[in-house]
């Protein structure tokens, strides 16, 4: 069971990453080209939000069933175990929180520029934090 959930978490990461990159690039293009914020722009951001939250839910399950997750939490001298048991989950949680805050904040804004700017900043920072603690060696195996 663990292997299936772990593979799903790894596979879905590509989908979530791609949608998040598309949302960040779309918001930057909208911001710098001064275009109007459309329902399609909102959908792109929403799909990225949904994908990253789905990844979070799968990740929480993996964290508690994996021998490299919660079970290894006290082993801080081992860099690989520290990454999988503390750094990766914590940094991703902070990144996803920023993305969620960006989604919530855009609802209060009225101008296209402010919406694109909000998505660019919050989704962009969330993406950077998530990328900073991906276990890269497992992405290319």
């Amino acid at each position: 069971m663990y292997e299936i959930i772990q593979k799903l978490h790894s596979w879905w990461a590509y989908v979530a990453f791609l949608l998040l990159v598309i949302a960040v690039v779309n918001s930057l293009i909208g911001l710098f080209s001064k275009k109007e914020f459309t329902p399609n722009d909102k959908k792109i951001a929403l799909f990225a939000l949904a994908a990253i939250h789905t990844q979070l839910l799968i990740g929480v399950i993996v964290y508690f069933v994996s021998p490299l997750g919660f079970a290894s939490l006290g082993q801080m001298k081992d860099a690989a175990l520290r990454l999988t048991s503390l750094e990766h989950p914590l940094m991703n949680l902070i990144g996803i929180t920023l993305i969620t805050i960006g989604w919530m904040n855009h609802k209060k804004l009225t101008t296209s520029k402010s919406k694109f700017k909000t998505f660019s900043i919050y989704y962009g920072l969330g993406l950077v934090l998530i990328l900073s603690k991906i276990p890269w060696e497992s992405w290319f195996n």
Side-chain angles (χ1 to χ4, degrees):
M1 175 83 166
Y2 160 69
E3 290 83 18
I4 293 170
I5 297 170
Q6 198 278 327
K7 291 283 184 206
L8 178 62
H9 183 62
S10 295
W11 176 81
W12 191 257
Y14 294 107
V15 174
F17 171 73
L18 179 64
L19 289 171
L20 189 54
V21 167
I22 290 169
V24 171
V25 169
N26 181 65
S27 64
L28 289 169
I29 290 170
L31 180 64
F32 292 120
S33 68
K34 298 181 174 142
K35 72 175 200 152
E36 283 299 310
F37 190 82
T38 66
N40 284 339
D41 297 315
K42 184 176 179 178
K43 285 178 189 172
I44 291 170
L46 179 60
F47 288 151
L49 178 75
I52 207 73
H53 278 129
T54 302
Q55 180 69 354
L56 173 65
L57 291 174
I58 298 167
V60 167
I61 295 168
V62 170
Y63 184 71
F64 286 107
V65 299
S66 170
L68 302 174
F70 185 71
S72 301
L73 192 55
Q75 301 177 25
M76 295 298 113
K77 289 184 181 181
D78 185 334
L81 288 177
R82 185 177 60 243
L83 176 66
T84 57
S85 68
L86 180 67
E87 295 170 355
H88 173 71
L90 181 61
M91 204 56 74
N92 285 324
L93 189 59
I94 294 168
I96 293 168
T97 301
L98 286 171
I99 293 165
T100 305
I101 291 169
W103 175 260
M104 292 182 335
N105 283 349
H106 104 277
K107 294 177 184 180
K108 302 172 195 167
L109 303 173
T110 56
T111 66
S112 292
K113 180 181 178 182
S114 62
K115 288 182 184 216
F116 282 126
K117 185 175 181 181
T118 297
F119 281 132
S120 296
I121 292 170
Y122 284 98
Y123 278 49
L125 286 174
L127 177 62
V128 168
L129 289 176
I130 290 167
L131 289 176
S132 74
K133 290 301 173 183
I134 287 178
W136 290 105
E137 64 279 351
S138 66
W139 265 54
F140 301 109
N141 288 337

